[in-house]
Amino acid sequence: MSGRRGGHSHGAEQQLTLPAGYRMNEFWGFHRRDAQRLSECDLQDGDTIRMHKGLMWKGLPTLLTLELRQHCEEAAVVQARWRLPAGAGAIAGMDDVLAAMLRRMFGLSQDVGEFERRFGRHARLGPLLARQRGLHVPAACTPWEALSWAVTGQQISVAAAVSLRRRLIAAAGQPVALHDGHADAPQQLWCMPEAAQLAQLGEEDLRAAGFSRSKTHTLRLLAQAVQSGELPLDDWAALPELPVAEIRERLLALKGIGPWTVNYMLLRGYGHLDGPLHGDVAVRRALALLLKTDAMDAAQTELWLRDFAPWRALVAAHLWASLSSTAF
């Protein structure tokens, strides 16, 4: 990771070198979930791919641009630019926030090498790891985005969750201009709303966007808890060691939040690799295929995953990838 490259008051710029052999399939799959490109879009020029994403940060619509030269034999380099609205002025600590965001998004704190060395000879999992070597679990830009996505996706298909997410962004987000110059680039993107924007929505707004009564209540409850400081999501991310037990306790105390939501949020929001995702239908289906059995229930899956601590969620990610469904 390089240090600060751009000193402009309207944004920040960083350069990130990915490990040799880093798999981009999972990263692109996660960030290309919405084919309608409301909040994210990616564009290709020759061997370079640019991804643009709109997100709210400290109440400001911002544009994150990641430019990646496609893999050759050498390690790939990502150039990241974070642009605030004109006239926003300098915000202290932007470079550090961007650097931490990038490491989290690409999963660079995940010790996948040690995981692969330890289980590379495992009778069942080893061949899968060999085929998917270098898999890191990509994360959302912010813990709040991961948490709101986890609630949105409770007990529905990925396609249905993407549609709900799109309607949530349209209801609470703000537009950000996109000046790319590429023939296929949209003129603007819509920013994924922060908790503050979602908290301003009434129950009727979320219901009109297609959320069930229970999900509406949960999202509003979470947004208010973030606003009040009861859920200091970003502060937790900045700690030297993630307080997993505290996060679990506080989230599970809120109505509408169960173990799957907590474990998924820990994975996608913070890169925590040991949340057992045995309740996930796709994980159970992939494990049944791996073990060549008809079906695996949650209890059987939990028992099988137990031997892989503290990487149980990383095993789940490999199982997801084995189904060629990277938009989990």
Coordinates of all heavy atoms in Angstrom, one line a residue, residues 24 27-28 31-32 37 39-53 63-70 77-81 106 178-186 189:
M24 N -9.7 -12.4 -8.7 CA -10.6 -11.2 -8.8 C -12.1 -11.7 -9.0 O -13.0 -10.8 -9.0 CB -10.2 -10.3 -10.0 CG -8.9 -9.5 -9.7 SD -9.1 -8.3 -8.3 CE -10.5 -7.3 -8.8
F27 N -14.3 -10.8 -6.2 CA -14.4 -9.3 -6.0 C -15.4 -8.7 -7.0 O -16.3 -8.0 -6.7 CB -13.1 -8.6 -6.1 CG -13.1 -7.1 -5.9 CD1 -13.0 -6.7 -4.6 CD2 -13.3 -6.2 -6.9 CE1 -13.1 -5.3 -4.3 CE2 -13.4 -4.9 -6.7 CZ -13.3 -4.4 -5.4
W28 N -15.2 -9.1 -8.3 CA -16.1 -8.5 -9.3 C -17.5 -9.1 -9.1 O -18.5 -8.4 -9.3 CB -15.6 -8.9 -10.7 CG -14.3 -8.2 -11.1 CD1 -13.2 -8.8 -11.6 CD2 -14.0 -6.8 -11.0 NE1 -12.2 -7.9 -11.9 CE2 -12.7 -6.7 -11.5 CE3 -14.7 -5.7 -10.6 CZ2 -12.1 -5.4 -11.6 CZ3 -14.1 -4.5 -10.7 CH2 -12.8 -4.3 -11.2
H31 N -19.3 -7.1 -6.4 CA -19.6 -5.7 -6.7 C -20.4 -5.5 -8.1 O -20.7 -4.4 -8.4 CB -18.4 -4.9 -6.8 CG -17.7 -4.7 -5.4 ND1 -18.3 -3.9 -4.4 CD2 -16.7 -5.3 -4.8 CE1 -17.6 -3.9 -3.3 NE2 -16.6 -4.8 -3.5
R32 N -20.6 -6.6 -8.8 CA -21.4 -6.5 -10.0 C -22.8 -7.2 -9.8 O -23.5 -7.6 -10.8 CB -20.7 -7.3 -11.1 CG -19.5 -6.6 -11.7 CD -18.7 -7.5 -12.6 NE -17.7 -6.8 -13.3 CZ -16.7 -7.5 -13.9 NH1 -16.6 -8.8 -14.0 NH2 -15.7 -6.8 -14.6
R37 N -26.8 -1.3 -12.7 CA -25.7 -0.4 -12.5 C -26.2 1.0 -11.9 O -25.8 2.0 -12.3 CB -24.9 -0.1 -13.8 CG -24.4 -1.3 -14.5 CD -23.4 -1.0 -15.5 NE -23.8 0.0 -16.5 CZ -23.0 0.5 -17.4 NH1 -21.7 0.0 -17.5 NH2 -23.4 1.4 -18.3
S39 N -25.8 1.9 -8.6 CA -24.8 2.5 -7.6 C -23.4 2.2 -8.0 O -22.5 2.9 -7.6 CB -25.1 1.9 -6.2 OG -24.2 2.4 -5.3
E40 N -23.2 1.1 -8.8 CA -21.8 0.7 -9.2 C -21.8 0.5 -10.7 O -22.8 0.0 -11.3 CB -21.3 -0.5 -8.5 CG -21.4 -0.5 -7.0 CD -22.7 -1.0 -6.4 OE1 -23.6 -1.5 -7.2 OE2 -22.8 -1.0 -5.2
C41 N -20.7 0.7 -11.4 CA -20.6 0.3 -12.7 C -19.1 0.0 -13.0 O -18.2 0.6 -12.4 CB -21.1 1.3 -13.7 SG -20.1 2.8 -14.0
D42 N -18.8 -0.9 -13.9 CA -17.4 -1.2 -14.3 C -17.3 -1.0 -15.8 O -18.2 -1.4 -16.6 CB -16.9 -2.5 -13.8 CG -17.8 -3.7 -14.3 OD1 -17.5 -4.2 -15.3 OD2 -18.8 -4.0 -13.5
L43 N -16.2 -0.5 -16.2 CA -15.9 -0.2 -17.6 C -14.5 -0.8 -18.0 O -13.6 -0.8 -17.2 CB -16.0 1.3 -17.9 CG -17.2 2.0 -17.4 CD1 -17.0 3.5 -17.3 CD2 -18.4 1.7 -18.4
Q44 N -14.4 -1.2 -19.2 CA -13.1 -1.8 -19.6 C -12.5 -1.1 -20.8 O -13.2 -0.8 -21.8 CB -13.3 -3.3 -20.0 CG -12.0 -4.0 -20.3 CD -12.1 -5.5 -20.1 OE1 -13.1 -6.0 -19.7 NE2 -11.0 -6.2 -20.5
D45 N -11.2 -0.7 -20.7 CA -10.5 -0.1 -21.8 C -9.2 -1.0 -22.0 O -8.3 -0.9 -21.2 CB -10.0 1.3 -21.5 CG -11.2 2.3 -21.6 OD1 -11.9 2.2 -22.6 OD2 -11.4 3.1 -20.7
G46 N -9.2 -1.8 -23.0 CA -8.0 -2.7 -23.2 C -7.9 -3.7 -22.0 O -8.8 -4.4 -21.7
D47 N -6.7 -3.7 -21.4 CA -6.5 -4.6 -20.3 C -6.7 -3.9 -18.9 O -6.3 -4.4 -17.9 CB -5.1 -5.1 -20.3 CG -4.0 -4.1 -20.2 OD1 -4.4 -2.9 -20.2 OD2 -2.8 -4.4 -20.2
T48 N -7.4 -2.7 -18.9 CA -7.7 -2.0 -17.7 C -9.2 -2.0 -17.4 O -10.0 -1.7 -18.3 CB -7.1 -0.6 -17.8 OG1 -5.7 -0.6 -17.9 CG2 -7.5 0.2 -16.5
I49 N -9.6 -2.3 -16.2 CA -11.0 -2.2 -15.8 C -11.1 -1.1 -14.7 O -10.3 -1.0 -13.8 CB -11.4 -3.5 -15.2 CG1 -11.4 -4.7 -16.2 CG2 -12.9 -3.4 -14.7 CD1 -11.8 -6.0 -15.7
R50 N -12.1 -0.3 -14.9 CA -12.4 0.8 -13.9 C -13.8 0.4 -13.3 O -14.7 0.2 -14.0 CB -12.4 2.2 -14.5 CG -11.1 2.7 -14.8 CD -11.2 4.2 -15.2 NE -12.2 4.4 -16.3 CZ -11.9 4.2 -17.6 NH1 -10.7 3.7 -18.0 NH2 -12.8 4.4 -18.5
M51 N -13.8 0.5 -12.0 CA -15.1 0.4 -11.3 C -15.4 1.7 -10.6 O -14.5 2.2 -9.8 CB -15.0 -0.8 -10.2 CG -16.4 -1.0 -9.6 SD -16.4 -2.2 -8.2 CE -16.0 -1.1 -6.9
H52 N -16.6 2.2 -10.8 CA -17.0 3.4 -10.1 C -18.1 3.0 -9.1 O -19.0 2.2 -9.5 CB -17.6 4.4 -11.1 CG -16.6 4.9 -12.1 ND1 -15.5 5.7 -11.8 CD2 -16.5 4.7 -13.4 CE1 -14.9 6.0 -12.9 NE2 -15.4 5.3 -13.9
K53 N -18.1 3.6 -7.9 CA -19.2 3.3 -6.9 C -19.5 4.6 -6.2 O -18.7 5.4 -5.8 CB -18.7 2.3 -5.9 CG -19.7 2.0 -4.8 CD -19.2 0.9 -3.9 CE -20.2 0.7 -2.7 NZ -21.5 0.2 -3.1
L63 N -17.6 9.7 -4.8 CA -17.4 8.7 -5.9 C -16.1 8.0 -5.7 O -15.0 8.6 -5.6 CB -17.4 9.4 -7.2 CG -17.2 8.5 -8.5 CD1 -18.4 7.6 -8.7 CD2 -16.9 9.3 -9.7
L64 N -16.2 6.7 -5.5 CA -15.0 5.8 -5.4 C -14.7 5.2 -6.8 O -15.6 4.6 -7.4 CB -15.2 4.8 -4.4 CG -14.1 3.7 -4.2 CD1 -12.8 4.4 -3.7 CD2 -14.5 2.6 -3.3
T65 N -13.5 5.4 -7.3 CA -13.0 4.8 -8.5 C -11.9 3.9 -8.3 O -10.9 4.3 -7.7 CB -12.7 5.9 -9.6 OG1 -13.8 6.7 -9.8 CG2 -12.2 5.2 -10.9
L66 N -12.0 2.6 -8.7 CA -10.9 1.7 -8.7 C -10.5 1.3 -10.1 O -11.3 0.9 -10.9 CB -11.3 0.4 -7.9 CG -11.9 0.5 -6.5 CD1 -12.4 -0.8 -6.0 CD2 -10.9 1.2 -5.6
E67 N -9.2 1.5 -10.4 CA -8.7 1.2 -11.7 C -7.7 0.0 -11.6 O -6.7 0.1 -10.9 CB -8.0 2.4 -12.3 CG -7.6 2.2 -13.8 CD -7.2 3.5 -14.4 OE1 -8.1 4.4 -14.7 OE2 -6.0 3.7 -14.6
L68 N -8.0 -1.1 -12.3 CA -7.2 -2.3 -12.1 C -6.7 -2.7 -13.5 O -7.5 -2.9 -14.4 CB -8.0 -3.4 -11.5 CG -7.4 -4.8 -11.5 CD1 -6.3 -4.9 -10.4 CD2 -8.4 -5.9 -11.2
R69 N -5.4 -3.0 -13.6 CA -4.9 -3.6 -14.8 C -5.0 -5.1 -14.7 O -4.6 -5.6 -13.6 CB -3.4 -3.2 -15.0 CG -2.8 -3.7 -16.4 CD -1.5 -3.1 -16.6 NE -1.5 -1.7 -16.8 CZ -1.8 -1.0 -17.9 NH1 -2.1 -1.8 -19.0 NH2 -1.9 0.3 -17.9
Q70 N -5.6 -5.7 -15.6 CA -5.9 -7.2 -15.5 C -4.6 -8.0 -15.3 O -3.5 -7.6 -15.6 CB -6.6 -7.7 -16.8 CG -8.0 -7.1 -16.9 CD -8.9 -8.0 -17.7 OE1 -9.2 -9.1 -17.2 NE2 -9.3 -7.6 -18.9
V77 N -2.0 -4.2 -9.7 CA -2.0 -2.9 -9.0 C -3.3 -2.2 -9.2 O -3.8 -2.1 -10.3 CB -0.8 -2.0 -9.5 CG1 -0.9 -0.6 -8.8 CG2 0.5 -2.6 -9.2
V78 N -3.9 -1.8 -8.1 CA -5.1 -1.0 -8.1 C -4.9 0.4 -7.8 O -4.2 0.7 -6.8 CB -6.1 -1.6 -7.0 CG1 -7.4 -0.8 -7.0 CG2 -6.4 -3.1 -7.3
Q79 N -5.3 1.3 -8.6 CA -5.3 2.7 -8.4 C -6.6 3.2 -7.9 O -7.6 3.0 -8.6 CB -4.8 3.5 -9.6 CG -4.5 5.0 -9.4 CD -3.2 5.2 -8.7 OE1 -2.3 4.4 -8.8 NE2 -3.1 6.3 -7.9
A80 N -6.7 3.8 -6.7 CA -8.0 4.2 -6.1 C -8.1 5.7 -6.0 O -7.1 6.3 -5.5 CB -8.2 3.5 -4.8
R81 N -9.2 6.2 -6.4 CA -9.4 7.7 -6.2 C -10.8 7.8 -5.5 O -11.8 7.2 -5.9 CB -9.4 8.4 -7.6 CG -8.1 8.4 -8.3 CD -8.1 9.1 -9.6 NE -9.1 8.6 -10.5 CZ -8.8 7.6 -11.3 NH1 -7.6 7.0 -11.3 NH2 -9.7 7.1 -12.2
F106 N -10.8 -5.6 -0.4 CA -10.0 -6.6 -1.1 C -9.7 -7.8 -0.1 O -9.1 -8.8 -0.6 CB -8.8 -6.1 -1.7 CG -9.1 -5.3 -3.0 CD1 -9.3 -3.9 -3.0 CD2 -9.2 -5.9 -4.2 CE1 -9.6 -3.2 -4.1 CE2 -9.5 -5.2 -5.4 CZ -9.7 -3.9 -5.3
L178 N -20.8 11.3 -12.8 CA -19.7 10.4 -13.2 C -19.2 11.0 -14.5 O -19.8 11.1 -15.5 CB -20.2 9.0 -13.4 CG -19.2 8.0 -13.9 CD1 -18.1 7.8 -13.0 CD2 -19.9 6.6 -14.1
H179 N -17.9 11.5 -14.5 CA -17.3 12.1 -15.7 C -16.2 11.1 -16.1 O -15.0 11.3 -15.9 CB -16.7 13.4 -15.4 CG -17.7 14.4 -14.8 ND1 -18.7 14.9 -15.6 CD2 -17.9 14.9 -13.6 CE1 -19.5 15.7 -14.8 NE2 -19.0 15.7 -13.6
D180 N -16.6 10.0 -16.8 CA -15.6 9.0 -17.2 C -15.1 9.2 -18.6 O -14.0 9.0 -18.9 CB -16.2 7.6 -17.0 CG -15.2 6.5 -17.2 OD1 -15.0 6.2 -18.4 OD2 -14.6 6.0 -16.3
G181 N -16.0 9.5 -19.5 CA -15.7 9.7 -20.9 C -15.8 8.4 -21.7 O -15.7 8.4 -23.0
H182 N -16.1 7.3 -21.1 CA -16.3 6.0 -21.8 C -17.6 6.0 -22.4 O -18.6 6.5 -21.8 CB -16.1 4.9 -20.7 CG -16.0 3.5 -21.4 ND1 -17.1 2.8 -21.9 CD2 -15.0 2.7 -21.5 CE1 -16.7 1.7 -22.4 NE2 -15.4 1.5 -22.2
A183 N -17.8 5.4 -23.6 CA -19.0 5.4 -24.3 C -20.1 4.8 -23.5 O -21.3 5.1 -23.7 CB -18.8 4.7 -25.7
D184 N -19.8 3.8 -22.7 CA -20.9 3.0 -22.0 C -21.1 3.6 -20.6 O -21.9 3.0 -19.8 CB -20.5 1.6 -21.9 CG -20.5 0.9 -23.2 OD1 -21.3 1.3 -24.1 OD2 -19.7 -0.1 -23.4
A185 N -20.4 4.6 -20.2 CA -20.5 5.1 -18.8 C -21.8 5.9 -18.6 O -22.2 6.7 -19.5 CB -19.3 6.0 -18.5
P186 N -22.5 5.7 -17.5 CA -23.7 6.5 -17.2 C -23.3 7.9 -16.8 O -22.1 8.1 -16.5 CB -24.4 5.7 -16.1 CG -23.2 5.0 -15.4 CD -22.3 4.6 -16.5
L189 N -24.2 8.1 -10.9 CA -24.6 7.0 -10.1 C -25.3 7.4 -8.9 O -25.3 8.6 -8.5 CB -23.3 6.2 -9.7 CG -22.5 5.6 -10.7 CD1 -21.1 5.1 -10.2 CD2 -23.2 4.4 -11.4

